Amino acid sequence: MGNTMGDTGQPRRRVTIREVAERAGVSVATASRALSGNHPVPTSTRTRVLRAARDLDYVANAHARALVGGGRKMAAVVVRQVTSPFYAQVAEGVEAEAADRGWLCVVGATGGDPQREMEFVQLMREEGARLVILVGGVVEDDAYRSRVAHYAQALAASGARLVLCGRPAPDPDIPALVVEFDNEAGARAVTGHLLSAGHRRIVFLGGLPGNTALDARVAGYRAALAEHGVPAAAGRVVDCGLGRAAGLRAMAELLKETREFTAVVAGDDMVAAGALRAIADAGLRVPEDVSVVGYNDIPLAEDFNPPLTTVRTPAEELGRAAVRIALRDPEQASGNHHVLGTHIVVRRSVASPRGA
Amino acid sequence: MGNTMGDTGQPRRRVTIREVAERAGVSVATASRALSGNHPVPTSTRTRVLRAARDLDYVANAHARALVGGGRKMAAVVVRQVTSPFYAQVAEGVEAEAADRGWLCVVGATGGDPQREMEFVQLMREEGARLVILVGGVVEDDAYRSRVAHYAQALAASGARLVLCGRPAPDPDIPALVVEFDNEAGARAVTGHLLSAGHRRIVFLGGLPGNTALDARVAGYRAALAEHGVPAAAGRVVDCGLGRAAGLRAMAELLKETREFTAVVAGDDMVAAGALRAIADAGLRVPEDVSVVGYNDIPLAEDFNPPLTTVRTPAEELGRAAVRIALRDPEQASGNHHVLGTHIVVRRSVASPRGA
DNA sequence: ATGAAAGCGCTAACAA
DNA sequence: TTGTTAGCGCTTTCAT
C-alpha cells in the first residue's frame, strides 16, 4: 500500500511499430504501409508484417497517428446527466450514428453546471474532437450567449463543428447548427387535447423561467388556452423546474392550496411521474379526478399509473439527426436550423372532467 | 506575420504553443514551462505567456502531450446500451468518480455484440485508456473466456487496468478486477419475501441460460424455494431473456397456458414492467391476483402500477467502486473480487395469495 | 532564468 | 518495392 496513486508499478511500454518492423525485418515505413493497407505493398512482405503485428499484439498509438494528421474522428455529446431517460436516448442516437460512420463518441455529463460544461468543451478541443453536440434547454442569459459564441468561434477556428440540440444559437451568424423539437407546438397540441376533452382549468407544472425549452412549452400551453377561448387568468403556471422530486413536491403543495383545476400539463415525463404520485397520495385518482399529460414519452411512460398521455419527441432521432446534419454539408453547416416533428401519444391519463 | 504558412485561407489549423511563444517573445520551452506551471518561471514572463495564450485562445494539443508522456488519464466504460436505466446509472457512477479524479471518461455501447465490444476495447488500447470497465452479465462460453483473457493480458501489458462489473473473470489469475453484486443472495431474498407472504407457486420470468447474472438469480430463486420446503417441481423458470418486450410477451403466453401460480419473480425491473402490463391486459390485478417482484430498483420502479417491490442494486455505487478500487492499489489489482450488498425495497406489488 | 535540441510513435514525402 | 528523412506539437534534458 501507499503507492503513488494512478501510476502503474512497472512502466511497461506499449509495443511500437518499430518493434513490429524489426520482427518482420523491414523498415518502419514499410511496416506502416503494410499496416495501413492503402499503399502498394507486395503480399509477401505484407503478410510478414501483419504476422509480426499479430504476434506482438500491436495496436497503433492513436495519439501519434492523430499528431501526424490521420487521427480518428471523434464526436462528443454533452448532456446534464446520462441517467435522464431523455438525454440517454439522445446520447444513444449520437453514439449510434457516430459508430455507423466509424467515429468515436465521447459522452460528457455536466450535472447542469456551466462551469463543467466549459471544462468539457475545452477538453474536447484539446483532444481534437471534430464535432461537439450540446444537448438540452438552458437559461438563455448573457453568460450563456457569450459562452456559446466562444465555443462556436473556437471550434470553427480549428475546423470542428458545433451543434446545439434543443437550445438556441445566441446569434444566427455564429458557426453553429441547431436541431430541436418544436416545443411550443407540442405543448399546444397536448394542451389542446385536454381542452378538447372539456377541461378548462388546467395548470402547467414545471415552468423554469428563462429556460428556453420550458418557456416555449409554457407559451404553447398559453396559446392553446387562448385558441379555445379560455381566459388567460384561468391558466396557472407553477415554476417548480424539472425532475421527479420537483414535480412531486410542487404537486403536493398545489393540492394543499387548491383543487380548482381538473388537469395538469407537466413540463416533462419525470415531472409527471412525481405529480402522479402526489395526486395518488392526496387520495385523488387519475384520470377520474384529475387528468395529467407529460412531455417526451420516455420509454417507461406507458408503465406509469395510469399509462401517461404525453408528447412523443423522437429523442434518439434527434441525436442521429445532429450528427447526420453536421456531417452533411460543411458549407451549409452555419446558421442552419432544423426542427423535428413531435406528436401526441394518447394513453390513459386523460378523461373528461367530472360533469362535462 | 511570423506565421510559417500562409494563413490566408480557411483558419483550419489549431493555435500551437509556438505561436503563443512568439507572441510572448519567449521560446517554446519557456512557454511550455509557464503554461504547465510546475516549473520555476518568473512571474513577469509567466503572465506574459498566459496573456498570449488567452489572447490566442490557445488549448494544448492533447495528442502531442500524450505522446511525450504526460497524457490525460482516460477511463472507458463499456455497456450494452446507455438507455438501459441500470447501465446508465453504472456509467454515471464511473463518470462521476472519474471526473472527481480529473480523468476523462468515455462511454461505449456495444448493443450486446461481442464483435463491437472487441473493437471498442481495441480502440481504447489505441487511445491509451488506462482503465477499461466492462459492465453487465454475459454468457460465459469459451469465446468469452479467451476474449477477456486477451483483453486482460493486452491491457496489463501496457500498464492499463481491466475491471469486470457484474461478469466473471475467466480465470482468477488473469490481471483483472471484478466488482459485482451477489445476484444469488438478492434473488434468494426477494423470493423469500414472496414465500414469507404465503406464496408457494412462484415463477421466475426472464431466465437467460448461460448468462452468469441471470443464472445466479435463478439459483437464488431455487435456493429460496428449497429453504422453504417447496418442492423443486413447484418452481418454474421461463427463459425469455431480458427487456420489457420479452417480459410482456412471455407473461402473456404464460397466462394463456396456465394460471397455476400466484407470484412472479422477474429477471429485472424491465421484465417486470412488461409482466405488469401483460397481467393487466389479461384482466388480472397486481397484487390481488398475482404478486410481482423485480430486480435492480431502477429510478422509475416506484412509478409502476403498482409500485414495484424489487431488489435494490446500488448501480451508481457499482460504477464508482469500479474506478475507486481499480485505482487504489496497483499491486492488489489482480485477482481481486469485490461484492457489493443489495437489499429488498418493499412497495406495493406483493400481497398474500388468495386464501392464505 | 531561458534557449537549443532531442525525441515521443507515426505517416508522408523523397530517394534509391 | 523499399529505406531514409522530415516533421506533427509538446515536454524535458542539457547548456548557457
Side-chain angles (χ1 to χ4, degrees), chain A residues 56-129:
Chain A
L56 264 26
D57 198 15
Y58 165 81
V59 288
N61 182 320
H63 298 299
R65 204 171 251 176
L67 198 51
V68 72
R72 174 171 293 276
K73 321 270 195 200
M74 182 166 94
V77 223
V78 188
V79 297
R80 276 182 92 91
Q81 46 174 12
V82 279
T83 44
S84 156
F86 176 75
Y87 288 137
Q89 281 185 286
V90 177
E92 187 156 288
V94 171
E95 129 80 28
E97 188 72 33
D100 285 353
R101 296 160 187 259
W103 284 47
L104 173 60
C105 175
V106 180
V107 181
T110 64
D113 180 5
Q115 184 61 33
R116 284 182 62 191
E117 178 188 281
M118 288 190 68
E119 288 169 1
F120 192 80
V121 172
Q122 188 84 347
L123 186 61
M124 289 303 103
R125 285 222 280 152
E126 294 181 0
E127 298 286 338

Coordinates of all heavy atoms in Angstrom, one line a residue, chain A residues 56-129:
Chain A
L56 N 2.9 -9.8 -31.9 CA 3.2 -8.8 -30.8 C 2.0 -8.2 -30.2 O 2.0 -7.4 -29.2 CB 4.1 -7.7 -31.4 CG 5.6 -7.9 -31.2 CD1 6.1 -9.3 -31.1 CD2 6.3 -7.2 -32.4
D57 N 0.8 -8.5 -30.8 CA -0.5 -7.9 -30.4 C -0.4 -6.4 -30.4 O -0.7 -5.6 -29.5 CB -0.8 -8.3 -28.9 CG -2.3 -8.1 -28.7 OD1 -3.1 -7.8 -29.6 OD2 -2.7 -8.1 -27.5
Y58 N 0.2 -5.9 -31.5 CA 0.4 -4.5 -31.7 C -0.9 -3.7 -32.0 O -1.7 -4.2 -32.8 CB 1.4 -4.3 -32.9 CG 1.4 -2.9 -33.4 CD1 2.2 -1.9 -32.8 CD2 0.7 -2.5 -34.6 CE1 2.2 -0.6 -33.3 CE2 0.8 -1.3 -35.1 CZ 1.5 -0.3 -34.4 OH 1.6 1.0 -34.9
V59 N -1.0 -2.6 -31.3 CA -2.1 -1.6 -31.7 C -1.4 -0.3 -31.9 O -0.6 0.1 -31.1 CB -3.2 -1.5 -30.7 CG1 -4.1 -2.7 -30.7 CG2 -2.7 -1.2 -29.3
A60 N -1.8 0.4 -33.0 CA -1.2 1.7 -33.2 C -1.5 2.7 -32.1 O -2.5 2.6 -31.5 CB -1.7 2.2 -34.6
N61 N -0.6 3.6 -31.9 CA -0.8 4.7 -31.0 C -1.6 5.8 -31.6 O -1.1 6.5 -32.5 CB 0.6 5.2 -30.5 CG 0.5 6.3 -29.5 OD1 -0.4 7.1 -29.5 ND2 1.3 6.2 -28.5
A62 N -2.8 5.9 -31.1 CA -3.8 6.8 -31.7 C -3.2 8.3 -31.6 O -3.5 9.1 -32.5 CB -5.1 6.7 -31.0
H63 N -2.5 8.6 -30.6 CA -2.0 9.9 -30.4 C -1.0 10.3 -31.4 O -1.0 11.4 -32.0 CB -1.5 10.1 -29.0 CG -2.5 9.9 -27.9 ND1 -3.6 10.6 -27.8 CD2 -2.6 8.9 -26.9 CE1 -4.3 10.2 -26.8 NE2 -3.7 9.2 -26.2
A64 N -0.1 9.4 -31.6 CA 1.0 9.6 -32.7 C 0.3 9.8 -34.0 O 0.6 10.6 -34.8 CB 2.0 8.5 -32.7
R65 N -0.7 8.9 -34.3 CA -1.4 9.0 -35.5 C -2.1 10.3 -35.7 O -2.1 10.9 -36.7 CB -2.4 7.8 -35.6 CG -2.7 7.4 -36.9 CD -3.5 6.1 -36.9 NE -2.8 5.0 -37.4 CZ -3.2 3.7 -37.3 NH1 -4.4 3.5 -36.8 NH2 -2.5 2.7 -37.8
A66 N -2.8 10.7 -34.6 CA -3.5 12.0 -34.6 C -2.6 13.1 -34.9 O -2.9 14.1 -35.6 CB -4.3 12.2 -33.4
L67 N -1.4 13.1 -34.3 CA -0.5 14.1 -34.4 C 0.0 14.4 -35.8 O 0.1 15.5 -36.3 CB 0.8 13.8 -33.5 CG 1.7 15.0 -33.1 CD1 0.8 16.1 -32.5 CD2 2.7 14.5 -32.2
V68 N 0.1 13.3 -36.5 CA 0.6 13.4 -37.9 C -0.5 13.7 -38.9 O -0.3 13.8 -40.1 CB 1.5 12.2 -38.2 CG1 0.6 11.0 -38.4 CG2 2.3 12.4 -39.4
G69 N -1.7 13.7 -38.4 CA -2.8 14.1 -39.3 C -3.9 13.1 -39.4 O -5.1 13.5 -39.4
G70 N -3.6 11.8 -39.5 CA -4.7 10.9 -39.8 C -5.4 10.4 -38.5 O -5.6 9.2 -38.3
G71 N -5.8 11.4 -37.7 CA -6.4 11.0 -36.4 C -7.8 10.4 -36.6 O -8.4 10.6 -37.6
R72 N -8.2 9.7 -35.6 CA -9.6 9.1 -35.6 C -10.6 10.3 -35.4 O -10.4 11.2 -34.6 CB -9.7 8.1 -34.5 CG -11.1 7.6 -34.3 CD -11.0 6.4 -33.3 NE -10.3 5.3 -33.9 CZ -10.8 4.4 -34.6 NH1 -12.1 4.5 -35.0 NH2 -10.1 3.4 -35.1
K73 N -11.6 10.2 -36.1 CA -12.7 11.2 -36.0 C -13.4 11.0 -34.6 O -13.8 9.9 -34.3 CB -13.7 11.1 -37.1 CG -13.1 10.7 -38.4 CD -12.8 12.0 -39.2 CE -12.6 11.6 -40.7 NZ -11.8 12.7 -41.4
M74 N -13.5 12.1 -33.9 CA -14.2 11.9 -32.6 C -15.3 12.9 -32.5 O -15.2 14.1 -32.8 CB -13.2 12.1 -31.5 CG -13.8 12.0 -30.1 SD -12.5 11.8 -28.9 CE -12.3 13.5 -28.4
A75 N -16.5 12.5 -32.0 CA -17.6 13.3 -31.7 C -17.8 13.3 -30.2 O -17.5 12.3 -29.5 CB -18.8 12.8 -32.4
A76 N -18.3 14.4 -29.7 CA -18.6 14.5 -28.2 C -20.1 15.0 -28.0 O -20.5 15.9 -28.6 CB -17.7 15.4 -27.6
V77 N -20.8 14.3 -27.1 CA -22.1 14.7 -26.8 C -22.0 15.2 -25.3 O -21.4 14.5 -24.5 CB -23.2 13.6 -26.6 CG1 -24.5 14.1 -27.3 CG2 -22.7 12.3 -27.2
V78 N -22.6 16.3 -25.0 CA -22.6 16.8 -23.7 C -24.1 16.9 -23.2 O -24.9 17.6 -23.8 CB -22.0 18.2 -23.6 CG1 -21.8 18.7 -22.2 CG2 -20.6 18.2 -24.4
V79 N -24.4 16.3 -22.1 CA -25.7 16.3 -21.5 C -25.6 16.6 -20.0 O -24.5 16.6 -19.4 CB -26.4 14.9 -21.7 CG1 -26.6 14.6 -23.1 CG2 -25.6 13.8 -21.0
R80 N -26.8 16.9 -19.4 CA -26.8 17.1 -18.0 C -26.4 15.8 -17.3 O -25.5 15.8 -16.5 CB -28.2 17.5 -17.5 CG -28.6 18.9 -17.7 CD -30.1 19.0 -17.1 NE -30.0 19.3 -15.7 CZ -30.1 20.6 -15.2 NH1 -30.1 21.6 -16.1 NH2 -30.0 20.8 -14.0
Q81 N -27.1 14.8 -17.5 CA -26.9 13.5 -16.9 C -27.3 12.4 -17.8 O -28.4 12.5 -18.4 CB -27.5 13.4 -15.5 CG -29.0 13.9 -15.5 CD -29.6 13.7 -14.2 OE1 -28.9 13.4 -13.2 NE2 -30.9 13.7 -14.1
V82 N -26.6 11.3 -17.8 CA -26.9 10.2 -18.6 C -28.1 9.4 -18.1 O -28.7 8.6 -18.8 CB -25.7 9.2 -18.8 CG1 -24.8 9.8 -19.9 CG2 -25.0 9.0 -17.5
T83 N -28.4 9.6 -16.8 CA -29.5 8.8 -16.2 C -30.9 9.4 -16.5 O -31.9 8.8 -16.2 CB -29.3 8.6 -14.7 OG1 -29.0 9.9 -14.2 CG2 -28.3 7.6 -14.4
S84 N -30.9 10.5 -17.1 CA -32.2 11.1 -17.6 C -32.5 10.3 -18.8 O -31.8 10.2 -19.8 CB -32.0 12.5 -17.9 OG -33.0 12.9 -18.8
P85 N -33.7 9.6 -18.8 CA -34.1 8.8 -20.0 C -34.0 9.6 -21.3 O -33.6 9.0 -22.3 CB -35.5 8.4 -19.6 CG -35.6 8.5 -18.2 CD -34.7 9.6 -17.8
F86 N -34.5 10.8 -21.3 CA -34.5 11.6 -22.5 C -33.1 11.8 -23.0 O -32.7 11.5 -24.2 CB -35.2 12.9 -22.3 CG -35.2 13.8 -23.5 CD1 -36.0 13.5 -24.6 CD2 -34.3 14.9 -23.5 CE1 -36.0 14.4 -25.7 CE2 -34.3 15.7 -24.7 CZ -35.1 15.4 -25.7
Y87 N -32.2 12.3 -22.1 CA -30.8 12.5 -22.6 C -30.1 11.2 -23.0 O -29.3 11.2 -23.9 CB -30.0 13.2 -21.4 CG -30.4 14.6 -21.2 CD1 -30.6 15.1 -19.9 CD2 -30.6 15.5 -22.2 CE1 -30.9 16.4 -19.7 CE2 -31.0 16.8 -22.0 CZ -31.1 17.3 -20.7 OH -31.5 18.6 -20.5
A88 N -30.4 10.2 -22.2 CA -29.8 8.9 -22.6 C -30.2 8.5 -24.0 O -29.3 8.0 -24.8 CB -30.2 7.8 -21.6
Q89 N -31.4 8.7 -24.4 CA -31.8 8.4 -25.7 C -31.1 9.3 -26.8 O -30.7 8.8 -27.8 CB -33.3 8.5 -25.9 CG -34.1 7.4 -25.3 CD -35.6 7.5 -25.6 OE1 -36.2 8.3 -24.9 NE2 -36.1 6.7 -26.5
V90 N -31.0 10.5 -26.5 CA -30.3 11.4 -27.4 C -28.8 10.9 -27.6 O -28.3 10.8 -28.7 CB -30.3 12.9 -27.0 CG1 -29.5 13.7 -27.9 CG2 -31.7 13.4 -26.8
A91 N -28.2 10.7 -26.4 CA -26.8 10.2 -26.5 C -26.7 8.9 -27.3 O -25.8 8.7 -28.0 CB -26.3 10.0 -25.0
E92 N -27.7 8.0 -27.1 CA -27.6 6.8 -27.8 C -27.7 7.0 -29.3 O -27.1 6.3 -30.1 CB -28.7 5.8 -27.3 CG -28.6 4.4 -27.9 CD -29.3 3.4 -27.0 OE1 -28.8 3.1 -26.0 OE2 -30.4 2.9 -27.4
G93 N -28.6 7.9 -29.7 CA -28.7 8.3 -31.1 C -27.4 8.8 -31.7 O -27.0 8.4 -32.7
V94 N -26.8 9.7 -30.9 CA -25.5 10.3 -31.4 C -24.4 9.1 -31.5 O -23.8 9.0 -32.5 CB -25.0 11.3 -30.4 CG1 -23.6 11.7 -30.8 CG2 -25.9 12.5 -30.4
E95 N -24.4 8.3 -30.5 CA -23.4 7.3 -30.4 C -23.6 6.3 -31.6 O -22.7 5.8 -32.3 CB -23.4 6.6 -29.1 CG -23.6 5.1 -29.0 CD -22.2 4.4 -29.3 OE1 -21.2 5.0 -29.0 OE2 -22.2 3.3 -29.9
A96 N -24.9 6.0 -31.9 CA -25.2 5.0 -32.9 C -24.8 5.6 -34.3 O -24.2 4.9 -35.1 CB -26.7 4.7 -32.9
E97 N -25.2 6.8 -34.5 CA -24.9 7.4 -35.8 C -23.4 7.6 -36.0 O -22.8 7.4 -37.1 CB -25.6 8.8 -35.9 CG -25.5 9.4 -37.3 CD -26.4 8.7 -38.4 OE1 -27.5 8.2 -38.0 OE2 -26.0 8.7 -39.5
A98 N -22.7 8.0 -34.9 CA -21.3 8.1 -35.0 C -20.6 6.8 -35.3 O -19.7 6.7 -36.1 CB -20.7 8.7 -33.7
A99 N -21.1 5.8 -34.6 CA -20.5 4.4 -34.7 C -20.7 3.9 -36.2 O -19.8 3.4 -36.8 CB -21.1 3.4 -33.8
D100 N -21.8 4.2 -36.7 CA -22.1 3.8 -38.1 C -21.1 4.4 -39.1 O -20.8 3.9 -40.1 CB -23.5 4.3 -38.5 CG -24.6 3.4 -37.9 OD1 -24.3 2.4 -37.3 OD2 -25.8 3.8 -38.0
R101 N -20.6 5.6 -38.7 CA -19.6 6.2 -39.6 C -18.2 6.0 -39.2 O -17.3 6.6 -39.7 CB -19.9 7.7 -39.6 CG -21.3 8.1 -40.2 CD -21.7 9.4 -39.8 NE -23.1 9.7 -40.2 CZ -23.4 10.4 -41.2 NH1 -22.5 11.0 -42.0 NH2 -24.7 10.5 -41.6
G102 N -18.0 5.1 -38.2 CA -16.7 4.8 -37.8 C -16.0 5.9 -36.9 O -14.8 6.0 -36.7
W103 N -16.9 6.7 -36.3 CA -16.4 7.7 -35.4 C -16.4 7.3 -34.0 O -17.2 6.4 -33.6 CB -17.2 9.0 -35.5 CG -17.0 9.8 -36.7 CD1 -17.0 9.4 -38.0 CD2 -16.9 11.3 -36.8 NE1 -16.8 10.5 -38.8 CE2 -16.7 11.6 -38.1 CE3 -16.8 12.3 -35.8 CZ2 -16.5 12.9 -38.5 CZ3 -16.7 13.6 -36.2 CH2 -16.5 13.9 -37.6
L104 N -15.5 7.8 -33.2 CA -15.5 7.5 -31.8 C -16.5 8.5 -31.1 O -16.5 9.7 -31.6 CB -14.1 7.7 -31.2 CG -14.0 7.6 -29.7 CD1 -14.4 6.2 -29.2 CD2 -12.5 7.8 -29.3
C105 N -17.2 8.1 -30.1 CA -18.1 9.0 -29.5 C -17.8 9.1 -28.0 O -17.7 8.1 -27.3 CB -19.5 8.6 -29.7 SG -20.8 9.5 -28.8
V106 N -17.7 10.3 -27.5 CA -17.5 10.5 -26.1 C -18.7 11.2 -25.5 O -19.3 12.1 -26.1 CB -16.3 11.5 -25.8 CG1 -16.0 11.7 -24.4 CG2 -15.0 10.9 -26.5
V107 N -19.1 10.7 -24.3 CA -20.3 11.3 -23.6 C -19.8 12.0 -22.4 O -19.1 11.5 -21.6 CB -21.3 10.2 -23.2 CG1 -22.5 10.9 -22.6 CG2 -21.7 9.4 -24.4
G108 N -20.2 13.3 -22.3 CA -19.9 14.0 -21.1 C -21.1 14.5 -20.3 O -22.1 14.8 -20.9
A109 N -21.0 14.4 -19.0 CA -22.1 14.8 -18.2 C -21.7 16.1 -17.3 O -20.6 16.1 -16.8 CB -22.5 13.7 -17.2
T110 N -22.6 17.1 -17.3 CA -22.2 18.3 -16.7 C -22.9 18.5 -15.3 O -22.6 19.4 -14.6 CB -22.5 19.5 -17.6 OG1 -24.0 19.5 -17.7 CG2 -21.9 19.4 -18.9
G111 N -24.0 17.8 -15.1 CA -24.8 18.0 -13.9 C -25.5 19.4 -14.0 O -25.9 19.9 -13.0
G112 N -25.5 19.9 -15.2 CA -26.2 21.2 -15.3 C -25.3 22.4 -15.0 O -25.7 23.6 -15.0
D113 N -24.1 22.1 -14.7 CA -23.1 23.2 -14.3 C -22.4 23.8 -15.5 O -21.6 23.1 -16.2 CB -22.1 22.6 -13.3 CG -21.1 23.6 -12.8 OD1 -21.2 24.8 -13.2 OD2 -20.2 23.2 -12.1
P114 N -22.6 25.1 -15.8 CA -22.0 25.7 -16.9 C -20.4 25.6 -16.8 O -19.8 25.5 -17.8 CB -22.4 27.2 -16.8 CG -23.7 27.1 -16.0 CD -23.5 26.0 -15.1
Q115 N -19.9 25.6 -15.6 CA -18.5 25.5 -15.4 C -18.0 24.2 -16.0 O -17.0 24.2 -16.7 CB -18.2 25.6 -13.9 CG -16.7 25.6 -13.6 CD -16.0 26.8 -14.2 OE1 -16.6 27.9 -14.4 NE2 -14.7 26.6 -14.6
R116 N -18.7 23.1 -15.6 CA -18.2 21.8 -16.1 C -18.4 21.7 -17.6 O -17.7 21.0 -18.3 CB -19.0 20.7 -15.3 CG -18.5 20.5 -13.9 CD -19.2 19.4 -13.2 NE -19.0 18.1 -13.8 CZ -19.7 17.0 -13.5 NH1 -20.6 17.1 -12.5 NH2 -19.5 15.9 -14.1
E117 N -19.5 22.4 -18.1 CA -19.7 22.3 -19.5 C -18.5 23.0 -20.2 O -18.0 22.4 -21.2 CB -21.0 23.1 -19.8 CG -21.2 23.1 -21.3 CD -22.4 24.1 -21.7 OE1 -23.6 23.6 -21.5 OE2 -22.2 25.2 -22.1
M118 N -18.1 24.1 -19.7 CA -16.9 24.8 -20.3 C -15.7 23.9 -20.3 O -14.9 23.8 -21.3 CB -16.7 26.1 -19.6 CG -17.7 27.2 -19.9 SD -17.3 28.8 -19.3 CE -15.9 29.2 -20.4
E119 N -15.4 23.3 -19.1 CA -14.3 22.5 -19.0 C -14.3 21.3 -20.0 O -13.3 21.0 -20.6 CB -14.2 21.9 -17.6 CG -13.8 23.0 -16.6 CD -13.9 22.5 -15.1 OE1 -14.3 21.3 -14.9 OE2 -13.6 23.3 -14.2
F120 N -15.5 20.8 -20.1 CA -15.6 19.6 -21.0 C -15.4 20.0 -22.5 O -14.7 19.3 -23.2 CB -17.0 18.9 -20.9 CG -17.0 17.6 -21.5 CD1 -16.5 16.5 -20.9 CD2 -17.6 17.5 -22.8 CE1 -16.5 15.3 -21.5 CE2 -17.7 16.2 -23.4 CZ -17.1 15.1 -22.8
V121 N -15.9 21.2 -22.9 CA -15.7 21.6 -24.2 C -14.2 21.9 -24.5 O -13.7 21.5 -25.5 CB -16.6 22.9 -24.5 CG1 -16.2 23.4 -25.9 CG2 -18.0 22.5 -24.5
Q122 N -13.6 22.5 -23.5 CA -12.2 22.8 -23.6 C -11.4 21.5 -23.8 O -10.5 21.4 -24.6 CB -11.7 23.4 -22.2 CG -10.3 23.9 -22.2 CD -10.3 25.3 -22.8 OE1 -11.2 25.8 -23.5 NE2 -9.1 26.0 -22.7
L123 N -11.8 20.5 -23.0 CA -11.1 19.2 -23.1 C -11.3 18.6 -24.4 O -10.4 18.1 -25.0 CB -11.8 18.3 -22.0 CG -11.2 16.9 -21.9 CD1 -9.8 17.1 -21.4 CD2 -12.0 16.1 -20.9
M124 N -12.5 18.7 -25.0 CA -12.7 18.2 -26.3 C -11.9 18.9 -27.4 O -11.5 18.3 -28.3 CB -14.2 18.3 -26.6 CG -15.0 17.3 -25.8 SD -14.5 15.6 -26.0 CE -13.6 15.3 -24.5
R125 N -11.7 20.2 -27.1 CA -10.8 20.9 -28.1 C -9.4 20.4 -28.0 O -8.8 20.2 -29.0 CB -10.8 22.4 -27.7 CG -12.1 23.2 -28.0 CD -11.7 24.5 -28.6 NE -11.4 25.5 -27.6 CZ -10.6 26.5 -27.7 NH1 -9.9 26.7 -28.9 NH2 -10.3 27.4 -26.8
E126 N -9.0 20.1 -26.8 CA -7.6 19.6 -26.6 C -7.5 18.2 -27.3 O -6.5 17.9 -27.9 CB -7.3 19.4 -25.1 CG -7.2 20.7 -24.4 CD -6.8 20.5 -22.9 OE1 -6.7 19.4 -22.5 OE2 -6.7 21.5 -22.2
E127 N -8.5 17.4 -27.2 CA -8.5 16.1 -27.7 C -8.7 16.1 -29.2 O -8.6 15.0 -29.9 CB -9.6 15.2 -27.1 CG -9.4 15.0 -25.6 CD -8.2 14.1 -25.2 OE1 -7.9 13.2 -26.1 OE2 -7.7 14.2 -24.1
G128 N -9.1 17.2 -29.8 CA -9.2 17.3 -31.2 C -10.6 16.7 -31.7 O -10.7 16.2 -32.8
A129 N -11.6 16.8 -30.9 CA -13.0 16.4 -31.3 C -13.3 17.2 -32.5 O -13.1 18.4 -32.6 CB -14.0 16.6 -30.2

